[in-house]
Amino acid sequence: VLHTLAGREFDLSAELKKRVVVLHFFTTFYRTYERSIPIHAALAAEYNDKPVTFLCVQNAKSLYAIRLFMETAAKRVDVAMDFNGFVTT
């Protein structure tokens, strides 16, 4: 179970039983996320009425940086924080 910036729990195995899941793994070590997350958000918006879940997954090493980016850029996609490194390692 991952916790998201929106304050919800995300259970990948439960979600996969209901929907297609598209995960976008990124890190703030490389600033390419500033270009890739808007693309991911656009796809999420395009498939909003389909049984597809889009989720960004971050290694939670720079929580402040990603929160700031998501708030200032007003992205419409949720970010799951992998605090224990179970998913991103």
Side-chain angles (χ1 to χ4, degrees):
V1 175
L2 296 172
H3 297 277
T4 72
L5 290 180
R8 68 183 183 100
E9 290 187 346
F10 181 81
D11 184 343
L12 180 59
S13 24
E15 194 72 17
L16 282 171
K17 292 176 183 171
K18 303 179 285 184
R19 305 168 67 85
V20 172
V21 177
V22 178
L23 299 175
H24 171 60
F25 293 91
F26 73 99
T27 180
T28 55
F29 298 131
Y30 302 103
R31 299 198 56 108
T32 56
Y33 72 93
E34 293 176 344
R35 290 188 310 268
S36 63
I37 289 178
I39 294 168
H40 191 78
L43 286 170
E46 184 177 336
Y47 287 89
N48 189 39
D49 61 340
K50 306 283 190 259
V52 181
T53 297
F54 287 83
L55 185 71
C56 294
V57 181
Q58 211 269 344
N59 64 6
K61 292 190 178 171
S62 51
L63 183 58
Y64 175 76
I66 195 58
R67 272 191 195 276
L68 182 64
F69 173 72
M70 296 304 281
E71 288 171 7
T72 58
K75 302 302 172 208
R76 306 248 186 249
V77 64
D78 205 359
V79 176
M81 307 308 293
D82 186 17
F83 292 108
N84 300 315
F86 294 132
V87 177
T88 56
T89 56

